Amino acid sequence: MNIYRRQQVLERGFTLIEFLLVVSIMGIMLSVILPRALRAGHEAKFSQIRQDASEIGSYVTQWGQRQTEAQSHRGNYTVRDFFLAELDADRLGYVSTPLIHKYTGNEAFKGVGETIPATTTPRNPFNEVSYFKAENDDQVVPSKKPGLLYFVSVLDGEEEAAHRLFYFIITGDDGKWFGDMDKSDPSGIRRGVFVGRYSETNMPEITEKGGLDAYKKK
């Protein structure tokens, strides 16, 4: 090809068919890459939430230990009791609201949130708000808000060998629990993020109140 002919080809540019072909190829590439990128971002957010739940779980335990240390000499409540029970304020020396069956955005978790330095407080990646703010609470269970942490427990073992396990389970972005977690199913609870394990031996009588486990000291 001589120089003149080569220049003609270069100056000719794209034909309509060539242009449409390029657009089609780009469209196909985007249809493959974009969903994968969105799924990767989605999975990364829930991975971050699991890490946050584990971190918050350690602060929940610290909060429970501080509660036991602050009770009056008349109180003999355990960390487990603070998680689960409406405790006798006269014996305890102050009012304590149980954490069980609540989102971390609930007022009951205020004390837990105060144990975390403000500069390191984890935020829900779906709304970029602290897990301890009202935006991450809801009356609906499971909430349609994604990334909320809900505190639950399940009994492990029977009679004298029994222990109570505590977990955080996570709301998905479809109005259901994430990753087959489920507050009403022991297996679904165990798919959550583990928080703690406490002996159930010689514990108070278990009663049902408002659909929650209520524990009363005698």
Side-chain angles (χ1 to χ4, degrees), residues 56-57 59-60 63 83 97-116 131-133 137 149-152 167-168 195:
I56 291 171
Y59 285 106
V60 167
W63 172 86
F83 289 170
T97 304
L99 307 182
I100 197 68
H101 294 175
K102 296 181 179 72
Y103 295 108
T104 55
N106 188 279
E107 185 71 15
F109 276 86
K110 180 179 179 181
V112 177
E114 290 174 347
T115 67
I116 307 176
Y131 286 101
F132 303 100
K133 296 295 185 180
D137 187 23
L149 301 178
Y150 191 75
F151 197 52
V152 291
Y167 293 83
F168 276 122
V195 174

